[in-house]
Amino acid sequence: MIKEDILAAYEAMAEKYNELIDHKPHNAYYDRPNTLHLLPEVTGKVILDAACGPGKYAEILMEKGAKVIGFDLSPRMVQLAKERNGSNGQFFVHDLAQPMEMIQTGSCDVVLCALAMHYVEDWTNTIREFHRVLKPDGMVVVSIEHPFFEYTYFRSKKYFSVEHVKATWSGFGKKIEMNSFRRSLQDCIIPFTGNGFYIRELVEPRPVREFEKLDPRHYKELNAFPAFMCISAVKTT
């Protein structure tokens, strides 16, 4: 039921999300610059954009010369990704928590998963699939909601549990109830280190200056305490 609620929420806000994605501060001037900074040189590389949304990351990466394969749980998001990118890239509907059987083993140089892993209750199989589709020494880069921020925001009393949580989003034209899963820092790390990756870099990001012009209050808050966390991990075995 939780997955159906997540899908319904993204279907409901897909149009507005796509309309705002180029310049919405938390996406454009907080998540993207910090997440993109963790990527290696992408020219000529095959990148799997897991949970691609309306295809903004794919657009940026293909402009840099990458070949992008993207999927998302939301059919409307996938359609918007296709419209944004025209004949470039391959986009299809798929659940991040399910086996990625349509992606060949060892076929990708990089897996990118931006702001989506917190919709997956158990990361183990998803991380194993990232490992499978990557070439030797391939890299996965993820951005997620920071576990310390979530613990405070949701007023949790059970830090070490994976908890189903809900928030109301109001930045996409109408109020949307968003379901996700909160977890500890170690539960963000162990699925990688326990399944053939080493952590190359962990970033607690700060917003770039453009953020301040559009949202000075959150700019100040995010420079005092992070809301997101970015991880790059390299396939070792």
Side-chain angles (χ1 to χ4, degrees):
M1 184 63 183
I2 296 171
K3 186 178 298 181
E4 286 77 7
D5 290 340
I6 294 168
L7 172 58
Y10 271 100
E11 288 283 277
M13 68 178 176
E15 303 291 341
K16 196 67 177 180
Y17 191 100
N18 183 56
E19 177 186 326
L20 297 175
I21 195 67
D22 289 348
H23 299 291
K24 194 172 191 301
H26 278 79
N27 298 100
Y29 305 122
Y30 185 48
D31 174 53
R32 281 205 300 274
N34 287 285
T35 301
L36 289 169
H37 183 71
L38 292 179
L39 293 173
E41 171 59 49
V42 301
T43 303
K45 300 295 179 63
V46 177
I47 299 179
L48 175 61
D49 187 358
C52 64
K56 181 60 183 180
Y57 268 106
E59 179 184 35
I60 293 169
L61 295 170
M62 286 189 286
E63 286 175 352
K64 294 178 179 290
K67 177 182 177 182
V68 177
I69 305 166
F71 68 77
D72 198 274
L73 180 66
S74 162
R76 186 58 188 139
M77 287 290 195
V78 170
Q79 183 59 39
L80 290 166
K82 291 178 178 179
E83 292 173 6
R84 176 180 289 271
N85 291 288
S87 60
N88 297 320
Q90 303 174 44
F91 300 97
F92 55 91
V93 177
H94 184 68
D95 180 355
L96 183 61
Q98 297 301 315
M100 303 165 198
E101 297 172 348
M102 66 296 296
I103 309 296
Q104 292 184 353
T105 298
S107 62
C108 300
D109 297 287
V110 178
V111 173
L112 169 66
C113 186
L115 299 179
M117 288 297 293
H118 42 273
Y119 300 124
V120 178
E121 184 172 10
D122 185 347
W123 285 16
T124 303
N125 290 334
T126 300
I127 299 300
R128 287 175 178 171
E129 280 295 275
F130 289 168
H131 185 277
R132 180 187 65 78
V133 303
L134 282 170
K135 298 176 182 178
D137 298 319
M139 179 184 291
V140 56
V141 174
V142 302
S143 60
I144 58 174
E145 294 182 354
H146 197 295
F148 299 166
F149 173 84
E150 287 188 308
Y151 180 75
T152 302
Y153 181 83
F154 291 112
R155 300 179 180 180
S156 176
K157 303 297 182 184
K158 301 182 292 182
Y159 175 73
F160 291 105
S161 298
V162 175
E163 292 183 284
H164 170 218
V165 293
K166 298 180 182 181
T168 300
W169 290 8
S170 57
F172 296 98
K174 56 184 175 182
K175 290 186 177 181
I176 299 286
E177 183 181 80
M178 184 57 68
N179 292 259
S180 61
F181 296 94
R182 186 210 63 76
R183 72 199 67 227
S184 67
L185 176 60
Q186 70 177 9
D187 282 340
C188 298
I189 301 298
I190 291 173
F192 289 100
T193 59
N195 289 287
F197 289 96
Y198 76 85
I199 302 299
R200 180 177 180 272
E201 195 166 356
L202 186 153
V203 174
E204 294 173 305
R206 295 188 181 191
V208 298
R209 279 289 181 181
E210 289 87 345
F211 194 117
E212 185 177 24
K213 301 171 187 176
L214 297 171
D215 189 344
R217 180 175 70 85
H218 282 112
Y219 179 81
K220 182 178 180 180
E221 289 179 3
L222 292 170
N223 272 291
F225 194 89
F228 295 168
M229 185 170 76
C230 308
I231 299 171
S232 67
V234 177
K235 179 176 176 176
T236 61
T237 59

